[in-house]
Amino acid sequence: MFRLQGSKVLAVDMTGDTVKAKNGSMVAYDGQMAFKKLTGGGEGLRGMVTRRLTGEQMTVMEVKGHGTCWFADRAAEINLVTLQGDKLYVESSNLLATDAGLRTGTTFTGLRGASQGNGLFTTTVEGHGQAAITSDGPAVVLRVSPQYPLSVDPGAYVAHQGNLRQSAQSGVTFRTFLGEGGGEAFQIRFEGDGLVYVQPSERNTIAGDV
């Protein structure tokens, strides 16, 4: 069971089940716990190979036992996402923890990787259960519908779910509208039906100086 204590600490109550979490994110625990370091961000060989090829670092630990574990990541805001058989696409640096009912993997998303400098893959989470994702400041969940597509700054993007298509909207930068240079060379356009999670702060991106 995932629950928040405040907005920056995740408490996970465990009764013999397993949780996967970002390595080094556990801040306390009670009860009896066993810990195992996993390699790669995805399930099996494919996940490990794609992480090595893209140079994207995502070290995961597996926690199993009886009691409560508390997780946090550099005082980032934590957001709980409940999946019911659907798939969540999330930046690997923003994925804090997943419960035993969810599978993690990797998927090719050339646009996202190129804009972030993280390689050409992003992390996927799917199945039935809860995931905890982090954001720099409180995340905002924006609805995308066929009538209302959404354009997102690459540095503010955290995750998305639903039946969405993404594409590059080149030649348009939010900073250009304000008369400022050095902004992202393009925005990410989402079309379809789903949700996009954005943070009120920008991470650095390679595209910033393009």
Side-chain angles (χ1 to χ4, degrees):
M1 176 182 175
F2 284 18
R3 55 187 172 86
L4 294 180
Q5 291 197 205
S7 61
K8 299 180 180 181
V9 177
L10 170 70
V12 182
D13 299 317
M14 303 174 65
T15 56
D17 39 353
T18 302
V19 170
K20 286 191 290 186
K22 180 181 290 188
N23 195 45
S25 63
M26 188 184 65
V27 295
Y29 74 92
D30 64 20
Q32 299 294 320
M33 298 291 169
F35 306 94
K36 179 181 178 182
K37 183 178 179 180
L38 305 178
T39 55
E43 303 280 1
L45 182 61
R46 181 176 180 271
M48 289 187 282
V49 170
T50 53
R51 293 297 170 187
R52 287 202 187 98
L53 288 176
T54 61
E56 189 173 351
Q57 300 299 316
M58 184 184 179
T59 308
V60 179
M61 64 179 178
E62 185 179 84
V63 184
K64 182 177 183 179
H66 293 78
T68 300
C69 278
W70 290 268
F71 300 92
D73 186 17
R74 294 169 295 178
E77 299 281 335
I78 301 174
N79 314 270
L80 297 183
V81 180
T82 300
L83 298 178
Q84 298 178 328
D86 50 331
K87 183 182 292 187
L88 175 73
Y89 299 82
V90 58
E91 292 292 297
S92 64
S93 59
N94 294 97
L95 181 60
L96 178 64
T98 60
D99 70 21
L102 296 177
R103 303 179 304 279
T104 57
T106 54
T107 188
F108 179 80
T109 56
L111 168 65
R112 291 289 316 133
S115 68
Q116 292 301 121
N118 288 346
L120 299 178
F121 294 83
T122 195
T123 299
T124 58
V125 183
E126 60 183 317
H128 292 79
Q130 283 185 297
I133 61 177
T134 60
S135 57
D136 187 1
V140 177
V141 184
L142 302 176
R143 163 69 66 179
V144 180
S145 67
Q147 297 81 14
Y148 294 98
L150 180 71
S151 295
V152 176
D153 190 301
Y157 169 86
V158 173
H160 73 272
Q161 64 186 121
N163 185 22
L164 293 177
R165 302 179 305 280
Q166 55 181 342
S167 61
Q169 190 175 4
S170 59
V172 178
T173 72
F174 292 161
R175 289 186 180 85
T176 299
F177 298 147
L178 303 176
E180 299 178 5
E184 278 71 17
F186 60 89
Q187 302 302 320
I188 304 168
R189 182 179 175 88
F190 290 94
E191 298 176 276
D193 186 14
L195 302 174
V196 178
Y197 298 78
V198 298
Q199 62 185 8
S201 175
E202 289 186 285
R203 65 177 72 81
N204 293 325
T205 61
I206 289 180
D209 295 325
V210 176

